[in-house]
Amino acid sequence: MTASRAGAIARAQRGFDEGEYLARLRDLVAVPTESQLEGSLPALTRYCAETMPALMRGMGFEPTVLDNPREGRGPVFVGTRIEDPALPTVLVYGHGDVVRGLAPKWSAGLDPWQVTVRGEKWYGRGTVDNKGQHLIAIDALRAVIAERGRLGFNAKVLVETGEEQGSPGLRELLRAEKHRLAADVFIGLDGPRQTTFMPEMKLGARGGVAFDLVVHLRDHAHHSGHWGGVLTDPGFVLAQAMASIVDRKGRIQVEGWTPKEIPPAVKRAIGALVFEDIPGLPEGDPDWGEPGLTKAEKMFGWTSVIVLAALTGHPDAPTNAVQGEARARLQVRHCADIKGADIVPALRRHLDKHGFQIVRVEPVLERDMFGASRTDPDDPWVRFVADSMQRSAGRAPNVVPNSSGSNPSDMFQEELGLPVIWIPNSYAGCNQHGPDEHALAPLLREGLGLMAGLWWDIGEGQTPRRDAKGTPR
Ligand SMILES: [Zn+2]
């Protein structure tokens, strides 16, 4: 039998049908890599130093564990297979850390650290976010190597262990390891798809900027009978400052927070998106947000601002007093058209202009900050991957210009100069950050086929080439 594309896809899916994929997934899920918990470093290190090398043993990848440049943060696994430096190189991304297990909150009979199969649903922490997804990429690589005898390209499999913490240290690490991680394209498997019935690509992520608005007028509360109407009330000052940020229909009023327009290629891509009605998810409110935009344009092409929490006094036991302080935490999510670093300065100018000098803006750092990025929907790599997926699935994929959530796309785009393409293999109902996280077996199996087809096609020698500056040619 001669090696073929169909043969590679069949191999990947046979591995699924015969239980090998599930057996490997069990090994990955069993490691409690809860990066949000203190003391998780040993588990994160074990995942990189033992679990990943064992998973990829015999595949011809050189395993390396890179320490996180930030003290106490999880390491990064890199498996490298160079067949010929003249061939294109793909950087494959996944994350080995998971959110907290929350074991007591799972439904009866389920355990976050064991994969439980109930019909098409495979339960376990990390089954979709993200262990089950990087396993798809790796098992598809395995299938192509077996079928063709080689990949036909170079592959670097990078699995970090801090994604659920906002990837601390990853940017510095990418900068320091630029040479080791050099590639032509980034392909990451993560996140849910818009639909269960269509393959999908995502080309980046919206950025996130969180900050507290603080009105601190005095250190103590004072009797409301004596002082009400005499002392400035921080609750009302804060409410009015917040009311200046969006109008009564949720339209953003802060100059510099919204783009002049959605770029035409992005608008086209959004217009072509197909969605699926998932029972239990809310409808959009058509009268909330930027007028004239569709729901999809608001989600994937525009800026949003949300009040995450707001507080004055003690809501659980209000006292009769004029409060000394009021505060709220807000979060802005924005596309690559707006710079994250401009969000807080623009708000400062806006508040000053409206007479709210007294309102402090305190940026929230770490987990709540993430950058925006977007690969041009017209990039030749985007077309290449979309064509490959279309060949495998028999229909064109949904091409989402950027995830409405967050991921570390910007770091790979900026530090390594790569076009960033995400291929999600989960669905909106997967509970990925709560109890009862689960994968859908048909999507895992389909993903194995799509990825085997894609790896096969990249090895055929017809990929887009980049010149020394990284510009497609
Ligand atoms: Zn996650």
Side-chain angles (χ1 to χ4, degrees):
M1 281 257 300
T2 51
S4 70
R5 185 180 199 275
I9 293 173
R11 271 180 200 271
Q13 295 187 326
R14 202 181 314 133
F16 184 87
D17 298 338
E18 293 176 356
E20 290 161 29
Y21 173 91
L22 176 58
R24 293 185 187 114
L25 181 61
R26 290 188 192 284
D27 292 342
L28 305 189
V29 168
V31 189
T33 49
E34 301 161 283
S35 61
Q36 298 166 337
L37 291 190
E38 293 279 340
S40 62
L41 192 56
L44 302 177
T45 303
R46 188 173 129 212
Y47 197 82
C48 292
E50 296 171 26
T51 314
M52 287 304 301
L55 173 66
M56 298 185 70
R57 193 163 296 140
M59 289 178 64
F61 281 73
E62 184 64 46
T64 314
V65 180
L66 303 174
D67 286 336
N68 196 306
R70 293 210 204 157
E71 186 71 36
R73 300 296 194 165
V76 172
F77 168 86
V78 181
T80 306
R81 178 181 162 112
I82 303 295
E83 296 188 353
D84 180 344
L87 291 172
T89 301
V90 179
L91 184 68
V92 182
Y93 169 92
H95 66 89
D97 64 318
V98 294
V99 297
R100 280 176 277 261
L102 307 172
K105 296 191 173 160
W106 287 53
S107 298
L110 300 178
D111 174 346
W113 312 116
Q114 277 179 22
V115 180
T116 305
V117 175
R118 287 189 181 164
E120 289 188 338
K121 293 181 177 173
W122 292 15
Y123 291 88
R125 179 60 83 221
T127 47
V128 291
D129 189 14
N130 169 265
K131 293 168 175 175
Q133 299 216 40
H134 56 262
L135 181 57
I136 288 175
I138 290 165
D139 274 7
L141 288 169
R142 194 190 308 275
V144 170
I145 293 169
E147 177 73 10
R148 184 183 260 150
R150 63 198 177 91
L151 289 172
F153 59 92
N154 306 313
K156 299 174 179 177
V157 174
L158 181 152
V159 175
E160 63 149 320
T161 57
E163 199 269 351
E164 300 296 357
Q165 287 279 77
S167 303
L170 183 61
R171 185 180 287 276
E172 296 96 296
L173 184 139
L174 296 180
R175 200 171 293 159
E177 301 286 348
K178 213 178 166 89
H179 188 70
R180 184 199 299 271
L181 299 173
D184 293 273
V185 66
F186 167 107
I187 295 183
L189 281 69
D190 200 14
R193 320 199 301 204
Q194 300 299 323
T195 73
T196 49
F197 53 80
M198 264 174 92
E200 184 169 307
M201 300 162 63
K202 285 193 178 91
L203 307 183
R206 287 206 293 180
V209 177
F211 49 84
D212 286 342
L213 294 180
V214 182
V215 182
H216 181 88
L217 300 181
R218 52 197 88 82
D219 288 338
H220 303 286
H222 294 273
H223 192 288
S224 55
H226 305 319
W227 296 102
V230 176
L231 292 176
T232 308
D233 187 330
F236 278 122
V237 175
L238 178 66
Q240 284 162 6
M242 283 169 46
S244 78
I245 291 174
V246 300
D247 71 10
R248 291 175 67 165
K249 294 196 158 187
R251 183 185 198 178
I252 290 173
Q253 304 294 305
V254 181
E255 209 173 308
W257 274 15
T258 49
K260 294 244 167 342
E261 57 161 12
I262 301 175
V266 175
K267 207 172 167 81
R268 264 199 315 279
I270 296 173
L273 288 174
V274 176
F275 298 95
E276 180 176 15
D277 278 330
I278 310 263
L281 296 184
E283 293 283 315
D285 292 315
D287 291 335
W288 186 258
E290 183 70 16
L293 298 186
T294 64
K295 176 179 162 197
E297 287 168 343
K298 290 175 191 169
M299 289 172 95
F300 301 111
W302 207 250
T303 309
S304 66
V305 57
I306 307 102
V307 181
L308 302 183
L311 181 76
T312 192
H314 304 275
D316 40 338
T319 51
N320 287 329
V322 181
Q323 300 301 317
E325 185 179 283
R327 56 168 59 227
R329 177 161 299 179
L330 274 66
Q331 184 191 52
V332 171
R333 288 184 187 256
H334 62 95
C335 294
D337 313 297
I338 303 291
K339 280 209 198 79
D342 293 344
I343 295 290
V344 167
L347 178 61
R348 184 70 268 164
R349 285 193 301 275
H350 169 90
L351 291 173
D352 290 348
K353 194 172 112 194
H354 288 81
F356 293 113
Q357 283 82 357
I358 202 164
V359 179
R360 289 207 307 268
V361 183
E362 298 179 350
V364 177
L365 300 174
E366 284 293 333
R367 185 62 184 100
D368 296 292
M369 297 285 276
F370 28 88
S373 71
R374 184 175 58 219
T375 300
D376 185 343
D378 290 338
D379 186 282
W381 269 104
V382 174
R383 283 200 300 275
F384 183 92
V385 175
D387 288 349
S388 168
M389 292 173 84
Q390 176 155 14
R391 272 181 85 186
S392 301
R395 69 182 297 175
N398 247 340
V399 179
V400 181
N402 40 242
S403 156
S404 49
S406 67
N407 61 41
S409 297
D410 57 317
M411 302 182 190
F412 291 93
Q413 211 172 39
E414 290 162 15
E415 302 302 332
L416 302 180
L418 303 181
V420 170
I421 297 171
W422 296 89
I423 300 176
N425 295 280
S426 183
Y427 80 118
C430 68
N431 295 344
Q432 63 174 13
H433 282 183
D436 298 356
E437 175 179 347
H438 62 276
L440 284 187
L443 295 197
L444 298 175
R445 189 177 188 281
E446 183 186 15
L448 283 161
L450 291 168
M451 293 312 298
L454 176 59
W455 299 147
W456 179 272
D457 291 341
I458 292 175
E460 288 284 80
Q462 302 296 321
T463 55
R465 287 282 171 173
R466 294 194 165 245
D467 63 25
K469 287 198 218 80
T471 325
R473 55 181 176 184

